[in-house]
Amino acid sequence: MPPRVGFLGLGIMGSAMANNILKAGFPLHVYNRTASKAGGLLTAGATLTPHPLALAQDAEVIIAMVTGPEALDELIWGEQGAAGAFSAEKTFINMSSVPPRYTRELAAELAPLGIAFIDAPVSGTKKPAEDGKLLILAGGDQEKIAALEPLFAAMGQKVIYCGEVGQGSVMKMTINLLLGVMMAGLAETINFGQKNGLEPETILEVILSGSLSSGLFQMKAEMVRDMAFPPNFPLKHMTKDLKFIIDTAYESGAPTPAAHAVLQLFRYGVAFQWGDEDFAAVLKILKHLNGRT
Ligand code: NAP
């Protein structure tokens, strides 16, 4: 019998991941702060729970995919939080992107409850989430992670074991450092060339035809061409992750000069009220700053 799964958080990523869990045949209970977002999943056969505690009472494996530490704390420790039903028979998997330090502290706080805790953030955005093609960056007990393989396989193409609990979050921040810097680099390049008289399409053609091309640049080319940024990975979430990266860099002593510069840029985007757009809107930020800096 597949375990009963409870899924907390039905945003861009969570709704797609939960849908794939359901399609793979796991009995699924869901909770979202804004209950209306569960509509499609309920039609597909999921059960809506009124609060995280009820979800954790019903489920054997509880998954969270929410914005960050504040949201997680609310769902776990808040009034009618999931922790009220955590026990040694259950497993909790956090797939949200959070700082490694937070993950380690959460592991220590959960330990007295006996519940197995897996740190499993993901690499990949809306489309890979919909297609069940995420990369799952797992930290924690390796045997437990192996036993969860059928559940992870419903959401991802591959589970990459990163080490003890917290190392999944380290890997996630490591990868998002590259993601943020690459996206800001593409935007700066396009804006620079365009400001100096080149056509964006011609710049894109040169980038995508040669060794500078990448899956990321190919994926974002359409947004750059159209100057329209419907959210796959919201800019406010990239900003949050860059802050986590810099905090982690201070703790570890790793120099991150590019991350500091890129964080400032993304913060302008949030200040300009573009936080809900895709993080490729960093190009819009640079265009807005043209002639002002
Ligand atoms: P999203 O669409 O903004 O969804 C955020 C989710 O968190 C929603 O379910 C939201 O509930 C919930 N939430 C926020 N604050 C809360 C609170 N205080 N209490 C309870 N629930 C709260 O974000 P997403 O893109 O799905 O991202 C989810 C996580 O995955 C983030 O950690 C993000 O960094 C990470 N991630 C995203 C991508 C991507 O491409 N989008 C890729 C990899 C990883 P409501 O619906 O009620 O607001």
Side-chain angles (χ1 to χ4, degrees):
M1 278 291 285
R4 291 188 308 281
V5 177
F7 205 104
L8 297 163
L10 304 174
I12 295 172
M13 297 296 283
S15 54
M17 292 156 73
N19 193 40
N20 284 328
I21 291 172
L22 197 58
K23 280 200 282 189
F26 292 88
L28 184 70
H29 289 68
V30 294
Y31 169 83
N32 196 53
R33 179 180 60 176
T34 309
S36 56
K37 290 191 191 169
L41 283 162
L42 304 188
T43 312
T47 306
L48 185 66
T49 51
H51 41 72
L53 176 62
L55 178 135
Q57 281 163 343
D58 289 335
E60 296 161 271
V61 180
I62 298 110
I63 300 176
M65 188 57 165
V66 291
T67 311
E70 295 79 14
L72 264 183
D73 282 345
E74 181 67 33
L75 295 176
I76 299 170
W77 307 112
E79 207 182 320
Q80 297 185 305
F86 281 178
S87 67
E89 293 73 46
K90 301 190 187 233
T91 300
F92 177 56
I93 309 173
N94 176 43
M95 305 191 80
S96 329
S97 305
V98 297
R101 176 202 275 268
Y102 173 85
T103 300
R104 292 185 206 107
E105 288 172 358
L106 180 59
E109 286 161 357
L110 291 175
L113 304 179
I115 189 165
F117 174 46
I118 306 297
D119 164 34
V122 301
S123 179
T125 186
K126 185 180 175 191
K127 178 84 168 64
E130 287 168 353
D131 295 346
K133 298 278 185 221
L134 294 167
L135 290 178
I136 294 167
L137 316 172
D141 183 287
Q142 203 165 1
E143 276 180 30
K144 188 82 202 169
I145 291 166
L148 289 163
E149 178 63 33
L151 180 56
F152 286 136
M155 296 179 274
Q157 52 167 303
K158 197 172 185 180
V159 178
I160 298 171
Y161 183 68
C162 301
E164 64 191 21
V165 78
Q167 294 308 98
S169 298
V170 174
M171 185 61 84
K172 177 62 191 166
M173 293 305 121
T174 302
I175 288 306
N176 273 20
L177 168 57
L178 184 59
L179 184 66
V181 170
M182 279 180 72
M183 191 63 240
L186 178 68
E188 191 166 314
T189 301
I190 299 277
N191 184 61
F192 173 84
Q194 195 175 4
K195 199 82 182 84
N196 287 281
L198 294 175
E199 287 298 326
E201 189 56 50
T202 317
I203 307 168
L204 274 175
E205 188 183 350
V206 173
I207 294 170
L208 299 180
S209 302
S211 59
L212 286 174
S213 187
S214 71
L216 175 71
F217 294 169
Q218 287 159 20
M219 195 164 68
K220 297 300 178 188
E222 190 183 335
M223 291 187 187
V224 168
R225 281 189 192 105
D226 300 348
M227 284 303 289
F229 306 98
N232 287 338
F233 183 35
L235 191 146
K236 63 185 178 190
H237 292 346
M238 185 76 243
T239 311
K240 150 191 89 82
D241 287 353
L242 281 162
K243 170 72 170 47
F244 296 162
I245 288 161
I246 284 168
D247 289 346
T248 308
Y250 275 101
E251 288 164 21
S252 61
T256 48
H260 277 79
V262 168
L263 171 60
Q264 286 305 323
L265 195 53
F266 280 100
R267 286 181 69 189
Y268 290 140
V270 174
F272 297 153
Q273 310 288 327
W274 297 330
D276 288 324
E277 299 191 33
D278 191 76
F279 78 120
V282 64
L283 175 57
K284 204 161 107 172
I285 303 169
L286 290 166
K287 283 189 184 297
H288 190 69
L289 294 173
N290 276 335
R292 296 170 194 251
T293 52

